[in-house]
Amino acid sequence: AERIRFILGEEDDSPAPPQLFTELDELLAVDGQEMEWKETARWIKFEEKVEQGGERWSKPHVATLSLHSLFELRTCIEKGSIMLDIEASTLPQVVEMIVDNQIETGLLKSELKDKVTYTLLRKHRHQTKKSNLRSLADIGKTVSSASRMFSNPDNAKTLCPLPPLHTAAALGRPVAMAGGLWKGELLKNKFMKKLPRDAEASNVLVGEVDFLESPFIAFVRLQQAVMLGALTEVPVPTRFLFILLGPKGKAKSYHEIGRAIATLMSDEVFHDIAYKAKDRQDLIAGIDEFLDEVIVLPPGEWDPAIRIEPPKSLPSSDKRKNMYSGGENLQMNGDTPHDGGHGSGGHGDCEELQRTGRFCGGLIKDIKRKAPFFASDFYDALNIQALSAILFIYLATVTNAITFGGLLGDATENMQGVLESFLGTAVTGAIFCLFAGQPLTILSSTGPVLVFERLLFNFSKDNDFDYLEFRLWIGLWSAFQCLILVATDASFLVKYFTRFTEEGFSSLISFIFIYDAFKKMIKLADHYPINSEFKVDYITHYSCACEPLDPGPRCQRSFMEILSFVLQYNTTIDWSSLSTKECLKYGGQLVGNNCDYVPDITLMSFILFFGTYTCSMALKKFKTSRYFPTTARKLISDFAIILSILIFCGIDALVGVDTPKLIVPSEFKPTSPERGWFIPPFGGNPWWVYLAAAIPALLVTILIFMDQQITAVIVNRKEHKLKKGAGYHLDLFWVAILMIVCSFMGLPWYVAATVISIAHIDSLKMETETSAPGEQPKFLGVREQRVTGVIVFILTGVSVFMAPILKFIPMPVLYGVFLYMGVASLNGVQFMDRLKLLLMPLKHQPDFIYLRHVPLRRVHLFTFLQVVCLALLWILKSTVAAIIFPVMILALVAVRKAMDYLFSQHDLSFLDDVIPEKDKKKKEDEKKKKKKK
């Protein structure tokens, strides 16, 4: 332990050692001819074997080693030649130095020098032959890389990539092989995409020969990694060589020792030790450390022939390294129970939420923090992924604007309508994304704002107030109060929002999205009812026709009916040829048993609705599918929602059923002719109304603050790995300024939309482009930029002029997108995981970290209280009392504080913590290992 601490503790400031590609070559007689070195396995993180058929690689799997092979390897390192940091530029030079060293130390007889040298310099045959029957995915890969691949039909079995010409020239030698001079610039191996640019190789050569009586063993580390001709399958410079030649009869043992050293070289800790080792004892200490971590499976209780699939997430080796580099006393966040309540939200230590105590101190710090990234916020968007995000969020925003605008028009008798919703969304969204602290946040109108608008309009109507002027003053007062909150750094209160509050609020908004999607579809089914009594055999019995009204006694008829009668007998109308609308317009009546039903529309709408949702979910997960090359899978996953919309728009057009379509305004003018684009602040209401407006404005301020800041906390969560910092004060400042603009223009008020913002982040997540075979791509963070949001809202504004195109999109397809966003935003929410536990038997419950430390009954109690709070909020939202909805969200913080008296701080530290679940579990597992030490 002391030795490893010394090795790993040195040169902490030096760059991390590069990734290693390890290749195992064995000395075999090929086709009954002379012996050759044949590649039998390779490693980056997981083992891949050449299958016995010899035409393909196995799937990546966890290398399973025998304990005996590890002990034999340890003996090999103890007794063999260890040559560290030797200088050589070619394979013959390296071999000559190794053989000379063995002779000098008495490990090899001098007369065997030529035989050993001849054997070690035999031809290398790499596994690159492909089957004639290739999958479409392989063909696609070949076509895409044809311009970059060197092809030679004569070299089907001996395709051995060599270094690019510039590398060879630097070494002062031509790059030659059996077929002649290779063209380095054309030489690319598809496997190279799995390796980082600075990767190096370690080559393991093992085999049995008939001229040795004792094993020939050497472990070599070169001073500088160099290209050693055709030694390696991929054009990667070699840094390490392990050679084991032994007497006949122990081929299996040599093979297992070769696998053991190759597996060790792919282990992160031993890999670091191998790079930093000073002598033989350092390498032995590295093997001993590896043996300490090895877990033995007893024979007879598992089948060694079974290949263990790589895990979805790998445990970090940092803890093992820290244990030896003086960092064992470092306490990682989440390892130990900590104070619940205020601190358990995990936001208190954020620099963005520290109270400065100065006037506008937080706002100034936000501006200083975000200003250096302003330019990069534009060029960071230069990626195909940004286009996918723009199209997806644009359609979600347009649908939301139309839905909200229609509801607002109903609530305010068209004083605000769809066009105002479009204009407000475009103006506020574009300005916010351009200048705000967190441009990933998407602004939208929310349900509570709609409830407030409805109550305010009815109040104004009942008291003969000018609604828009009254609303203007409420907006001005609320904006003023928000600016006071900005100036006094009130956003520091966000640190009191724990996971309990965040998840309660975000789950509620997600459930509202899901509920509204189904509500719209059920309303559509009411509008286009299904004839459940329909029988195919009685199709001749169904009819619907337009007939004139029977005149009857004149005194019993309305004016319209009299007009109909006059038209009927004074003009010639072909009643049977009229459409439904014309029939009702001229005062006719629809007669027949099929007049109330519209065939196929409801059924087709539900097919489009569920089809869009299911297709979006399936295509989003396509990234982890087994089909198609990686690039194609990623592209399909990125454009999942757009592809689903296009597919089901195509199906709708193909079937031709008259489903309800997206209708956007085609003229740029206020919905109500009684108003303009500027609301005069005086003249419509008594003077005291301007002052009294401050009281309802307080409710609006609480709503804006809570909605904005809870969404901001969710967007800025640590698990999103945002690097450019947050801007809570700056965001609230722009929401307040835009509220003033919207109030003067008579547009809806806008605030951060939780579900659409989460969808925006999900559509911009980045993962590693190079990952070892079998290794899951690592989440790197989110593509932080301003372009997607700005373009989305500009497109929303010009949608008025895109009506001829947008009219082909069926509304059920967009409702399916709403359902997808609602369900997708619940992914990874601990509250949902705990709800599922209620339906699971103990033996099937996942290994969540909180289940290790908190009794199940306490977990269920915590979940029950959260469900009760959510149910109360839902009921409140659905009643007239919805006006105090923002106050009740604020009450969630108080409820969470009261739970300190019901739960221990130990329990709360695990149940109410914003540390990502998987990270905390890793830390817990590593801590247990450390305690064993």
Side-chain angles (χ1 to χ4, degrees):
E2 287 297 327
R3 181 177 287 274
I4 292 174
R5 182 178 288 111
F6 178 75
I7 299 167
L8 296 181
E10 283 188 334
E11 301 172 13
D12 285 335
D13 297 333
S14 60
Q19 177 83 54
L20 272 180
F21 165 75
T22 305
E23 178 179 322
L24 173 62
D25 287 8
E26 295 186 52
L27 192 63
L28 299 170
V30 180
D31 300 329
Q33 298 174 359
E34 289 190 352
M35 304 292 277
E36 290 181 355
W37 291 105
K38 187 174 187 308
E39 183 180 14
T40 57
R42 65 186 181 191
W43 286 256
I44 297 179
K45 280 191 181 299
F46 300 101
E47 181 179 15
E48 292 176 88
K49 292 179 179 178
V50 175
E51 301 286 23
Q52 289 181 352
E55 290 194 353
R56 58 174 284 173
W57 286 103
S58 71
K59 284 179 65 178
H61 54 275
V62 178
T64 50
L65 307 174
S66 68
L67 199 57
H68 186 64
S69 68
L70 287 168
F71 285 123
E72 284 191 312
L73 172 64
R74 191 180 189 282
T75 304
C76 289
I77 297 296
E78 280 179 338
K79 295 183 177 179
S81 295
I82 305 298
M83 303 174 67
L84 302 178
D85 297 332
I86 67 170
E87 294 186 13
S89 57
T90 64
L91 184 58
Q93 282 181 6
V94 174
V95 170
E96 186 176 2
M97 293 171 75
I98 295 170
V99 173
D100 288 347
N101 178 273
Q102 287 259 330
I103 293 171
E104 286 173 17
T105 54
L107 296 174
L108 181 70
K109 295 176 182 176
S110 57
E111 59 267 23
L112 295 175
K113 177 178 179 178
D114 290 343
K115 287 186 177 181
V116 171
T117 303
Y118 176 79
T119 304
L120 292 177
L121 293 178
R122 294 301 299 148
K123 179 180 174 183
H124 286 263
R125 182 185 294 262
H126 298 297
Q127 176 56 34
T128 52
K129 181 180 176 181
K130 292 284 184 184
S131 167
N132 292 328
L133 299 172
R134 294 184 299 167
S135 67
L136 288 174
D138 281 341
I139 293 170
K141 281 183 178 179
T142 305
V143 170
S144 67
S145 58
S147 62
R148 298 180 288 119
M149 292 289 292
F150 179 86
S151 60
N152 185 342
D154 297 329
N155 290 336
K157 291 185 180 179
T158 57
L159 182 60
C160 302
L162 290 176
L165 287 179
H166 64 86
T167 308
L171 296 173
R173 68 183 194 281
V175 183
M177 198 184 151
L181 203 65
W182 285 64
K183 295 184 178 179
E185 62 270 21
L186 293 179
L187 188 58
K188 294 281 184 182
N189 187 306
K190 285 178 286 185
F191 193 72
M192 284 295 289
K193 289 189 287 185
K194 301 289 185 183
L195 292 166
R197 289 180 181 274
D198 63 344
E200 296 177 351
S202 64
N203 295 88
V204 179
L205 308 178
V206 299
E208 54 178 6
V209 289
D210 53 9
F211 55 80
L212 285 177
E213 295 177 2
S214 59
F216 176 95
I217 303 160
F219 180 90
V220 177
R221 183 179 70 204
L222 299 178
Q223 177 72 38
Q224 296 294 331
V226 293
M227 307 293 295
L228 297 180
L231 183 64
T232 311
E233 173 196 353
V234 286
V236 170
T238 295
R239 173 61 73 97
F240 295 95
L241 267 171
F242 178 82
I243 299 170
L244 170 58
L245 291 177
K248 287 278 189 181
K250 290 190 175 182
K252 189 174 186 303
S253 174
Y254 302 151
H255 171 75
E256 289 302 320
I257 293 170
R259 287 184 62 243
I261 185 65
T263 303
L264 256 76
M265 296 305 287
S266 67
D267 175 69
E268 288 186 37
V269 176
F270 185 84
H271 160 271
D272 288 5
I273 292 170
Y275 268 97
K276 295 179 179 181
K278 297 285 195 300
D279 54 30
R280 185 192 308 272
Q281 293 308 315
D282 288 352
L283 293 172
I284 293 172
I287 295 174
D288 289 341
E289 190 280 335
F290 184 85
L291 283 166
D292 279 346
E293 297 293 326
V294 162
I295 295 169
V296 178
L297 295 173
E301 295 186 17
W302 76 295
D303 184 359
I306 294 172
R307 289 173 180 166
I308 301 172
E309 291 275 334
K312 288 188 177 179
S313 60
L314 288 170
S316 171
S317 63
D318 291 342
K319 199 73 174 180
R320 277 171 67 194
K321 292 178 183 177
N322 283 341
M323 211 155 39
Y324 297 108
S325 60
E328 66 267 44
N329 294 322
L330 296 175
Q331 193 169 73
M332 303 189 77
N333 190 12
D335 277 349
T336 55
H338 49 79
D339 290 340
H342 301 172
S344 63
H347 311 302
D349 57 347
C350 291
E351 183 202 347
E352 297 93 338
L353 295 175
Q354 296 299 322
R355 194 171 186 182
T356 62
R358 299 191 306 273
F359 179 76
C360 290
L363 178 63
I364 293 166
K365 283 181 73 176
D366 280 355
I367 294 170
K368 287 180 178 177
R369 184 185 306 110
K370 299 299 291 187
F373 299 110
F374 192 73
S376 68
D377 282 342
F378 292 91
Y379 58 73
D380 282 352
L382 299 176
N383 189 280
I384 189 73
Q385 191 181 25
L387 176 62
S388 157
I390 287 168
L391 295 174
F392 168 35
I393 301 302
Y394 163 66
L395 287 168
T397 305
V398 165
T399 310
N400 203 41
I402 289 171
T403 305
F404 186 81
L407 294 171
L408 200 55
D410 294 341
T412 62
E413 295 180 4
N414 284 331
M415 294 306 284
Q416 296 181 79
V418 175
L419 196 89
E420 285 80 6
S421 180
F422 264 77
L423 181 62
T425 302
V427 171
T428 58
I431 293 174
F432 184 86
C433 286
L434 203 54
F435 300 112
Q438 184 47 273
L440 295 174
T441 304
I442 299 292
L443 293 193
S444 175
S445 288
T446 60
V449 170
L450 176 63
V451 171
F452 182 84
E453 295 277 15
R454 181 185 287 114
L455 293 170
L456 182 62
F457 180 80
N458 292 336
F459 180 81
S460 302
K461 191 175 178 182
D462 294 343
N463 293 277
D464 294 326
F465 288 164
D466 183 323
Y467 161 66
L468 289 176
E469 186 184 299
F470 188 26
R471 182 181 177 278
L472 164 63
W473 280 96
I474 292 174
L476 292 176
W477 275 111
S478 183
F480 174 68
Q481 290 164 1
C482 285
L483 289 173
I484 290 175
L485 293 175
V486 171
T488 55
D489 291 354
S491 292
F492 87 94
L493 295 169
V494 168
K495 67 183 182 182
Y496 292 96
F497 298 167
T498 64
R499 183 190 283 275
F500 179 85
T501 310
E502 288 171 39
E503 291 191 344
F505 180 77
S506 64
S507 298
L508 177 69
I509 303 298
S510 299
F511 288 143
I512 288 173
F513 259 69
I514 295 167
Y515 170 77
D516 282 348
F518 280 105
K519 184 180 174 183
K520 294 280 184 190
M521 291 303 297
I522 292 167
K523 190 175 179 182
L524 188 144
D526 289 339
H527 197 262
Y528 302 105
I530 295 172
N531 186 357
S532 55
E533 303 298 324
F534 181 84
K535 299 288 187 291
V536 177
D537 199 34
Y538 295 106
I539 193 168
T540 53
H541 294 191
Y542 297 101
S543 64
C544 184
C546 179
E547 294 181 0
L549 290 168
D550 180 19
R554 292 290 178 94
C555 59
Q556 298 178 9
R557 297 293 172 188
S558 66
F559 172 76
M560 184 56 75
E561 290 168 336
I562 293 169
L563 176 64
S564 169
F565 176 77
V566 171
L567 286 171
Q568 179 182 359
Y569 291 103
N570 291 287
T571 59
T572 54
I573 294 179
D574 184 3
W575 291 93
S576 61
S577 66
L578 296 181
S579 68
T580 303
K581 287 182 181 177
E582 289 170 338
C583 179
L584 297 174
K585 179 181 176 183
Y586 293 125
Q589 60 181 350
L590 296 171
V591 178
N593 55 3
N594 207 36
C595 292
D596 292 334
Y597 303 109
V598 184
D600 303 331
I601 289 183
T602 298
L603 180 60
M604 188 65 195
S605 295
F606 272 94
I607 289 171
L608 295 176
F609 173 67
F610 285 114
T612 304
Y613 165 73
T614 307
C615 189
S616 297
M617 292 295 277
L619 291 181
K620 199 68 186 171
K621 295 175 182 174
F622 197 75
K623 188 160 43 180
T624 56
S625 164
R626 298 172 185 267
Y627 304 104
F628 300 113
T630 308
T631 308
R633 290 202 307 268
K634 189 174 184 304
L635 208 60
I636 290 169
S637 178
D638 286 344
F639 285 86
I641 292 85
I642 305 305
L643 285 172
S644 301
I645 291 170
L646 290 175
I647 289 168
F648 284 92
C649 285
I651 290 172
D652 179 69
L654 197 65
V655 175
V657 174
D658 188 22
T659 50
K661 301 294 191 292
L662 177 64
I663 300 170
V664 296
S666 54
E667 291 183 284
F668 191 76
K669 63 180 183 182
T671 309
S672 172
E674 299 174 13
R675 55 158 291 181
W677 285 121
F678 179 78
I679 310 302
F682 303 104
N685 293 324
W687 65 268
W688 56 268
V689 173
Y690 309 143
L691 301 176
I695 299 169
L698 189 61
L699 280 172
V700 176
T701 303
I702 295 172
L703 169 63
I704 296 290
F705 182 80
M706 293 296 293
D707 215 339
Q708 175 65 38
Q709 301 299 43
I710 289 180
T711 302
V713 164
I714 292 168
V715 167
N716 293 311
R717 273 180 178 165
K718 289 177 183 177
E719 57 241 57
H720 290 149
K721 297 185 179 178
L722 302 182
K723 296 178 177 64
K724 297 183 180 180
Y728 294 96
H729 311 280
L730 186 56
D731 287 350
L732 191 59
F733 170 79
W734 278 109
V735 167
I737 297 297
L738 292 169
M739 199 171 183
I740 296 171
V741 174
C742 290
S743 298
F744 270 111
M745 293 184 69
L747 304 176
W749 295 319
Y750 292 89
V751 72
T754 309
V755 170
I756 299 182
S757 297
I758 293 171
H760 190 209
I761 281 177
D762 285 343
S763 65
L764 290 169
K765 285 184 173 177
M766 299 183 295
E767 292 178 333
T768 47
E769 292 183 5
T770 59
S771 55
E775 183 185 23
Q776 295 291 327
K778 291 178 183 174
F779 172 60
L780 296 177
V782 178
R783 204 173 296 281
E784 297 175 69
Q785 38 71 48
R786 299 178 183 272
V787 175
T788 52
V790 172
I791 293 179
V792 160
F793 290 111
I794 290 173
L795 285 175
T796 304
V798 300
S799 294
V800 174
F801 309 106
M802 294 166 62
I805 300 169
L806 296 174
K807 69 180 181 182
F808 291 107
I809 302 177
M811 287 306 292
V813 167
L814 296 179
Y815 297 149
V817 173
F818 263 46
L819 178 62
Y820 166 80
M821 286 196 299
V823 173
S825 61
L826 290 172
N827 286 342
V829 175
Q830 192 203 78
F831 171 59
M832 295 306 297
D833 293 335
R834 284 188 274 106
L835 274 180
K836 293 174 190 172
L837 290 178
L838 294 168
L839 305 174
M840 290 184 194
L842 281 173
K843 62 181 178 180
H844 294 303
Q845 290 178 356
D847 180 27
F848 292 132
I849 185 69
Y850 50 84
L851 291 181
R852 297 184 185 182
H853 296 274
V854 184
L856 190 60
R857 64 181 185 280
R858 306 295 288 172
V859 173
H860 288 336
L861 177 60
F862 189 86
T863 307
F864 174 74
L865 292 173
Q866 213 165 358
V867 169
V868 169
C869 290
L870 205 59
L872 290 173
L873 284 172
W874 184 278
I875 293 166
L876 192 71
K877 175 197 76 73
S878 309
T879 62
V880 184
I883 192 76
I884 61 165
F885 180 76
V887 181
M888 295 308 294
I889 293 177
L890 195 59
L892 281 176
V893 179
V895 171
R896 167 62 186 82
K897 180 59 185 168
M899 290 170 75
D900 283 353
Y901 300 101
L902 192 59
F903 293 88
S904 68
Q905 295 306 306
H906 171 272
D907 290 355
L908 287 174
S909 70
F910 287 98
L911 291 171
D912 192 21
D913 200 324
V914 294
I915 297 173
E917 178 66 36
K918 57 184 180 183
D919 288 352
K920 196 166 183 185
K921 193 192 296 180
K922 280 182 195 170
K923 292 169 187 171
E924 181 65 25
D925 288 335
E926 288 161 0
K927 186 183 174 189
K928 280 187 178 177
K929 286 183 184 177
K930 181 181 164 187
K931 280 185 177 176
K932 286 180 185 175
K933 300 269 183 199

